[in-house]
């Protein structure tokens, strides 16, 4: 980005109707040159529009592939106003020195709340009773209907969602147990157990909050489902691949499991026109939701603010903390200094060449921050305000292996 640009010359393009919070935050921070589009754009239109854009905000529908990035000559950073970043060619963006930010934890509370709701509904069998009533049957009975108070909740994956859920469940008087492959500090009276098997054996409701990894693929299968208590319940608000769905359907049919609540599936329809197909379809003891665990107005609002904050921070300060494709550098504010940021190929000799430029130019370096990630390095150098940063910028730009240089005054 040209350092002579003032904030209102920095062009921001926000697509797919990102939350108003984002616009409000950009404006409050002095960024007013914002184009707001409610939809995603067809590729050819995006290619045309992106040419003079410095910051781009998208949600999940905009495909940011190499072809589009090639047209984005001025693009400084991308904000995905959502959780996932699969829609962006992250590698291609990194090679072009474009960090990509998202809001991975903005919907933690939304998922935790819905998990609590499902826990209660499963323990009461409300969905079966509701389905029957829709057919005209009146199942007024306390059979298989329980309070959650005093029951065991088994949380698999005690990360952001798992630990927040733990607090809410404890508040309802549940006994909370958890299993995590990492050592996690427990909240309240929650207790960690040493193995998944142990957790499954003691829980009345098991709820999954692990990421999708080779280790978690089909972690709930015929064998592990068999460890669960007879008449217990399973909740999956994490990722569909974590459960072997045929095995789950069999465990539900046999009555070994009493019910399940599922929000995510190995195969999910891409849109409204595609039919949802799953072996558990038609089972009234399964609460099915269409991957909406984190979809609330509050989560959208949080995402709008969080991603806008990250983009402004990168623009104003150079910080890349929590970028998904980039060396992460959390920078202090700079005062009485020029901040020079250089993104370069991570190869031997690069840093000594960069340092030589500063020492040959007689710069008094006040601070230096370096981080590398794969094939690129990101170095930030604060020099005394009396120096002319343009001299150093030009030399850094000319350096072989240098990809992009930015200056903040
Ligand atoms: P997180 O990264 O904060 O926590 C995941 C935890 O799982 C970590 O503590 C990790 O150590 C643990 N873990 C990893 N592998 C494990 C294994 N094999 N066994 C036991 N523990 C293991 O993630 P967060 O934010 O809590 O999200 C959890 C899941 O929820 C993710 O898969 C995420 O994609 C999904 N999610 C689903 C949403 C929905 O709409 N249904 C919305 C938000 C998140």
């Amino acid at each position: 980005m040209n350092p002579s640009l003032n904030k209102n010359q920095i062009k921001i393009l926000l697509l797919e109707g990102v939350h108003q919070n984002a616009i409000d935050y950009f404006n409050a921070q002095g960024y007013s040159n914002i184009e707001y589009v409610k939809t995603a754009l067809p590729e050819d239109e995006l290619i045309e529009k992106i040419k003079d854009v410095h910051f781009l905000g998208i949600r999940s529908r905009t495909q940011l592939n190499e072809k589009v990035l090639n047209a984005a000559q001025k693009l400084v950073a991308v904000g995905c106003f959502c959780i996932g970043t699969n829609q962006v060619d992250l590698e291609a963006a990194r090679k072009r020195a474009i960090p990509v930010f998202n809001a991975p934890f903005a919907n933690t509370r939304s998922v935790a709340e819905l998990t609590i709701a499902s826990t209660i509904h499963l323990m009461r069998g409300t969905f079966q009773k509701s389905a029957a009533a829709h057919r005209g049957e009146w199942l007024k009975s306390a059979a298989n209907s329980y309070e959650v108070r005093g029951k065991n909740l088994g949380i698999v994956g005690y990360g952001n969602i798992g630990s927040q859920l733990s607090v809410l469940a404890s508040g309802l008087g549940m006994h909370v147990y958890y299993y995590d492959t990492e050592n996690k500090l427990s909240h309240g009276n929650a207790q960690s157990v040493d193995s998944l098997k142990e957790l499954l054996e003691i829980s009345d409701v098991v709820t999954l909050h692990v990421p999708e990894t080779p280790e978690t693929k089909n972690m709930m299968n015929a064998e592990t489902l068999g460890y669960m208590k007879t008449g217990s319940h399973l909740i999956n608000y994490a990722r569909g691949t974590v459960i072997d769905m045929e095995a789950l359907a069999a465990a539900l049919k046999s009555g070994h499991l009493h019910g399940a609540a599922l929000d995510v599936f190995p195969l999910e329809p891409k849109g409204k026109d595609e039919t949802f197909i799953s072996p558990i379809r038609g089972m009234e003891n399964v609460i099915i939701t269409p991957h909406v665990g984190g979809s609330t107005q509050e989560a959208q609002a949080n995402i709008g603010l969080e991603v806008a904050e990250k983009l402004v921070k990168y623009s104003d300060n150079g910080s890349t903390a929590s970028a998904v494709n980039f060396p992460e550098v959390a920078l202090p504010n700079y005062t009485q200094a020029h901040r020079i940021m250089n993104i370069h190929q991570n190869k031997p000799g690069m840093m000594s060449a960069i340092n030589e430029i500063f020492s040959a130019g007689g710069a008094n370096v006040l601070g230096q921050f370096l981080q590398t990630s794969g094939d690129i390095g990101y170095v930030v150098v604060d020099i005394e305000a009396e120096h002319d940063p343009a001299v150093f910028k030009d030399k850094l730009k000319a350096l072989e292996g240098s990809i992009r240089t930015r200056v903040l005054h």
Side-chain angles (χ1 to χ4, degrees):
M1 196 162 43
N2 184 340
S4 58
L5 287 184
N6 55 37
K7 283 191 182 184
N8 57 26
Q9 289 173 303
I10 293 173
K11 178 145 193 208
I12 299 172
L13 174 62
L14 298 178
L15 300 178
E16 302 187 60
V18 306
H19 197 275
Q20 179 67 31
N21 270 2
I23 301 170
D24 294 346
Y25 186 76
F26 282 125
N27 285 334
Q29 298 302 314
Y31 293 87
S32 54
N33 187 359
I34 300 173
E35 184 174 352
Y36 185 77
V37 180
K38 282 200 167 142
T39 59
L41 294 175
E43 189 176 271
D44 52 342
E45 247 180 79
L46 180 59
I47 285 175
E48 202 41 49
K49 235 184 218 315
I50 208 170
K51 284 180 180 158
D52 60 348
V53 166
H54 298 105
F55 290 92
L56 174 68
I58 60 169
R59 290 175 66 191
S60 54
R61 286 201 187 90
T62 301
Q63 294 301 314
L64 216 52
N65 55 33
E66 191 143 26
K67 192 172 161 202
V68 177
L69 288 168
N70 278 341
Q73 290 303 317
K74 296 186 177 169
L75 194 60
V76 176
V78 172
C80 294
F81 285 79
C82 49
I83 312 296
T85 51
N86 296 345
Q87 70 280 38
V88 180
D89 184 337
L90 296 175
E91 185 70 21
R94 192 178 69 216
K95 286 210 168 95
R96 287 160 181 75
I98 300 167
V100 176
F101 298 93
N102 65 341
F105 306 121
N107 58 9
T108 296
R109 171 74 188 202
S110 307
V111 179
E113 281 191 14
L114 201 58
T115 307
I116 287 289
S118 295
T119 304
I120 296 173
H121 282 301
L122 286 172
M123 294 289 285
R124 298 292 286 272
T126 17
F127 274 63
Q128 288 108 302
K129 293 182 176 88
S130 171
H134 279 290
R135 287 192 303 270
E137 297 165 33
W138 199 242
L139 299 185
K140 185 168 163 41
S141 156
N144 286 319
S145 193
Y146 302 94
E147 291 183 351
V148 297
R149 179 172 50 169
K151 304 301 181 301
N152 292 352
L153 178 68
I155 301 174
V156 186
Y158 204 66
N160 283 281
I161 296 172
S163 56
Q164 172 120 200
L165 169 65
S166 161
V167 174
L168 298 177
S170 297
L172 287 169
M174 297 191 80
H175 302 304
V176 178
Y177 298 89
Y178 65 91
Y179 168 69
D180 199 297
T181 40
E182 302 283 318
N183 216 348
K184 296 280 172 166
L185 192 68
S186 68
H187 291 246
N189 291 328
Q191 289 175 45
S192 74
V193 298
D194 293 335
S195 70
L196 178 63
K197 183 167 185 277
E198 194 183 332
L199 187 84
L200 300 177
E201 284 170 349
I202 58 174
S203 302
D204 298 299
V205 176
V206 171
T207 182
L208 309 172
H209 300 285
V210 289
E212 181 176 59
T213 65
E215 291 73 43
T216 61
K217 189 174 163 61
N218 287 338
M219 79 189 296
M220 296 310 295
N221 51 44
E223 183 188 349
T224 48
L225 289 165
Y227 299 145
M228 289 178 67
K229 277 167 120 175
T230 301
S232 61
H233 302 89
L234 181 65
I235 299 177
N236 185 13
Y237 279 57
R239 285 291 175 261
T241 53
V242 173
I243 299 181
D244 173 344
M245 292 301 288
E246 297 291 344
L248 174 62
L252 288 161
K253 264 186 208 136
S254 72
H256 176 59
L257 293 195
H258 200 252
L262 308 171
D263 186 49
V264 287
F265 301 86
L267 273 180
E268 294 177 10
K270 291 200 177 59
K272 276 190 279 195
D273 302 332
E274 213 175 291
T275 306
F276 168 61
I277 295 167
S278 171
I280 48 79
R281 226 181 73 183
M283 293 182 170
E284 288 180 4
N285 54 345
V286 182
I287 303 172
I288 301 174
T289 44
H291 203 147
V292 291
S295 306
T296 60
Q297 291 303 312
E298 289 82 356
Q300 288 306 317
N302 291 343
I303 288 169
L305 185 60
E306 185 177 331
V307 179
E309 277 174 353
K310 287 176 182 176
L311 291 175
V312 166
K313 188 117 201 209
Y314 182 57
S315 179
D316 287 355
N317 157 294
S319 240
T320 51
S322 87
V324 293
N325 65 335
F326 216 72
E328 285 191 57
V329 183
L331 295 166
N333 287 334
Y334 61 101
T335 45
Q336 312 288 316
H338 300 297
R339 175 162 284 178
I340 304 176
M341 296 163 288
N342 173 266
I343 300 152
H344 52 263
Q345 288 164 11
N346 181 19
K347 56 182 187 181
M350 224 37 229
M351 274 315 292
S352 64
I354 289 169
N355 283 329
E356 177 54 29
I357 289 174
F358 287 101
S359 80
N364 187 18
V365 172
L366 302 173
Q368 189 178 67
F369 311 86
L370 168 73
Q371 195 57 262
T372 61
S373 164
D375 49 1
I376 67 162
Y378 180 38
V379 63
V380 179
V381 183
D382 290 348
I383 57 170
E384 264 185 0
E386 68 198 38
H387 300 297
D388 177 7
V391 177
F392 299 103
K393 183 184 179 193
D394 290 345
K395 289 200 169 131
L396 286 166
K397 273 177 88 171
L399 198 64
E400 206 205 315
S402 181
I403 306 171
R404 171 173 278 175
T405 305
R406 245 184 357 129
V407 174
L408 297 171
H409 297 276

